[in-house]
């Protein structure tokens, strides 16, 4: 074993426990097409498959990553945190649609996936205009120490790929991060339960 390889293994041995300690408590990876990418209208399965393939191709040709898009949107308002992010390859110019939480408002940003520039302006929606479940989920997001950006990093490692979307979901009373990852030619959904989310 070379010295460089031995050093790399030592660094991994140090970094992996730190990652696992900082990571959300459970990660569940499924290889089915995530429900977020299913067409709402019952239609031709081949057309749906082709649409997903085009979306993946446009995503792969983008220079901006989902993590960079979240950082760009969060930088617009000091202390903002991302609540939801998704890639949209169906628009004329591929973009990321990022929703951030800041000062009792949800801010909607559209980030050019090639340049990282903000497309159009930004829109804000007061939390009071959301339904009770959405307000509850966002309150829980503000109370946990993990951020969607953390969940994206863990999901990309767990599924060996690149995240194309992520957000909050509540299943059986538990708040989770749901991250869709492109791994090879497959779409995988990674569900992560942040520590402390159960009690909320």
């Amino acid at each position: 074993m070379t010295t460089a390889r031995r050093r790399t293994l030592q660094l991994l041995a140090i970094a992996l426990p730190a990652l696992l300690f900082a990571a959300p408590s459970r990660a569940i990876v499924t290889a089915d097409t995530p429900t977020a990418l299913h067409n709402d209208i019952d239609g031709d399965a081949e057309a749906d498959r082709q649409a997903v393939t085009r979306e993946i191709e446009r995503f792969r040709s983008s220079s901006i990553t989902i993590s960079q898009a979240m950082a760009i949107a969060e930088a617009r308002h000091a202390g903002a945190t991302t609540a939801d992010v998704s890639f949209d390859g169906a628009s004329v110019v591929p973009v990321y649609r990022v929703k951030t939480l800041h000062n009792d408002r949800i801010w909607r940003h559209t980030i050019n996936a090639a340049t990282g520039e903000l497309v159009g302006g930004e829109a804000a929606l007061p939390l009071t205009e959301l339904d009770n479940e959405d307000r509850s989920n966002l309150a829980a997001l503000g109370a946990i120490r993990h951020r969607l950006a953390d969940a994206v990093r863990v999901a990309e490692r767990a599924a060996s790929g690149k995240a194309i979307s992520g957000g909050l979901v509540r299943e059986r009373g538990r708040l989770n991060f749901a991250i869709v990852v492109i791994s090879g030619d497959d779409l995988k959904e990674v569900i992560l339960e942040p520590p402390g989310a159960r009690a909320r």
Side-chain angles (χ1 to χ4, degrees):
M1 184 181 303
T2 67
T3 305
R5 182 164 165 73
R6 190 174 12 258
R7 179 74 179 136
T8 302
L9 289 174
Q10 289 171 340
L11 289 173
L12 283 173
I14 293 167
L16 189 57
L19 173 67
L20 293 174
F21 179 75
S25 60
R26 287 190 300 173
I28 301 166
V29 181
T30 59
D32 298 332
T33 301
T35 49
L37 294 178
H38 284 295
N39 195 342
D40 289 338
I41 302 168
D42 290 334
D44 183 11
E46 180 61 21
D48 289 347
R49 186 191 63 73
Q50 288 176 358
V52 169
T53 300
R54 277 192 304 276
E55 187 91 358
I56 291 171
E57 287 171 2
R58 291 194 89 184
F59 173 76
R60 285 187 173 142
S61 66
S62 298
S63 9
I64 302 298
T65 66
I66 202 167
S67 295
Q68 291 169 321
M70 287 188 292
I72 291 165
E74 289 176 357
R76 303 283 303 165
H77 304 279
T81 185
T82 301
D84 187 79
V85 60
S86 62
F87 177 80
D88 181 357
S91 60
V92 175
V93 175
V95 295
Y96 288 99
R97 302 202 184 276
V98 186
K99 294 178 186 171
T100 60
L101 175 63
H102 183 256
N103 285 346
D104 294 329
R105 293 186 184 282
I106 286 290
W107 295 85
R108 294 178 184 180
H109 313 274
T110 303
I111 309 294
N112 184 311
T115 65
E117 295 173 344
L118 187 67
V119 177
E122 51 185 6
L125 179 68
L127 293 182
T128 54
E129 294 186 22
L130 301 176
D131 64 29
N132 287 336
E133 183 178 350
D134 287 340
R135 280 198 309 272
S136 173
N137 288 349
L138 292 170
L141 175 66
I144 58 178
R145 72 170 194 237
H146 288 86
R147 301 167 61 95
L148 185 58
D150 300 323
V152 163
R153 282 190 295 276
V154 172
E156 287 178 335
R157 286 185 186 111
S160 301
K162 293 288 181 191
I164 190 169
S165 70
L168 295 169
V169 295
R170 189 172 291 271
E171 294 177 356
R172 292 182 224 121
R174 294 182 179 159
L175 185 68
N176 296 307
F177 291 119
I179 313 296
V180 177
V181 176
I182 297 174
S183 179
D185 292 331
D186 297 324
L187 291 173
K188 297 180 179 180
E189 186 170 45
V190 181
I191 304 296
L192 299 155
E193 182 183 332
R198 252 183 230 208
R200 302 201 189 300

